[in-house]
Amino acid sequence: MNARRELRNNRVSLFDGIEEGGVRASSSYSSHEIEEQDNETALEGLQDRVLLLKRLTGDINEEVESHNRILDRMGNDMDSSRGVLSGTMDRFKTVFDPKSSPKMFSLVVLFVAIFFIVYYLTR
């Protein structure tokens, strides 16, 4: 029985200070100091998250600005294309004017015939 008691005392001394779920706070730390430490740790974690969000918003801002530049260039290209297309449509209107319709009809038929002849000769 003495051996059991000695084993039990050894076990108690070995696991002294450990509670279920974690280590017991040392008596040298007050609860206020522990709370202050927890607050500092939480504050550091919060600062890291804020810095991460700041970098992320900076990256998003850069992406938005680059996309805006691309869209501006596309808009300018579309405007110039619209100008070219309207000029082409004006030329078509003058070509297909009803006053010159018999001449145009014969010219179109001639071009289609030449196209088919060249197509069959190259085939």
Side-chain angles (χ1 to χ4, degrees):
M1 182 123 88
N2 203 11
R4 278 189 174 175
R5 182 176 283 179
E6 197 173 311
L7 180 63
R8 188 169 175 227
N9 286 339
N10 286 340
R11 197 183 265 173
V12 167
S13 67
L14 181 64
F15 293 107
D16 190 30
I18 296 180
E19 291 183 25
E20 192 172 326
V23 177
R24 254 188 302 191
S26 172
S27 61
S28 64
Y29 291 115
S30 69
S31 67
H32 178 70
E33 289 172 341
I34 293 172
E35 288 175 4
E36 194 67 33
Q37 245 180 350
D38 289 344
N39 286 342
E40 289 294 325
T41 305
L43 184 63
E44 288 173 6
L46 192 58
Q47 286 173 339
D48 291 341
R49 288 181 184 153
V50 167
L51 288 175
L52 176 69
L53 286 174
K54 184 178 178 181
R55 276 186 265 139
L56 185 63
T57 54
D59 292 344
I60 290 172
N61 185 35
E62 289 175 16
E63 282 293 317
V64 167
E65 286 178 357
S66 85
H67 284 101
N68 279 340
R69 284 191 298 270
I70 292 170
L71 288 173
D72 286 341
R73 276 185 261 147
M74 282 179 58
N76 292 338
D77 291 344
M78 291 298 286
D79 289 341
S80 66
S81 300
R82 191 174 299 129
V84 170
L85 186 60
S86 67
T88 305
M89 291 304 293
D90 290 341
R91 289 187 200 111
F92 270 123
K93 286 178 186 176
T94 58
V95 167
F96 291 111
D97 191 25
K99 296 175 186 171
S100 65
S101 121
K103 288 181 186 177
M104 270 297 126
F105 181 73
S106 61
L107 189 60
V108 169
V109 170
L110 178 66
F111 280 128
V112 170
I114 290 173
F115 174 76
F116 280 117
I117 291 170
V118 170
Y119 175 75
Y120 284 117
L121 288 177
T122 59
R123 193 174 156 195

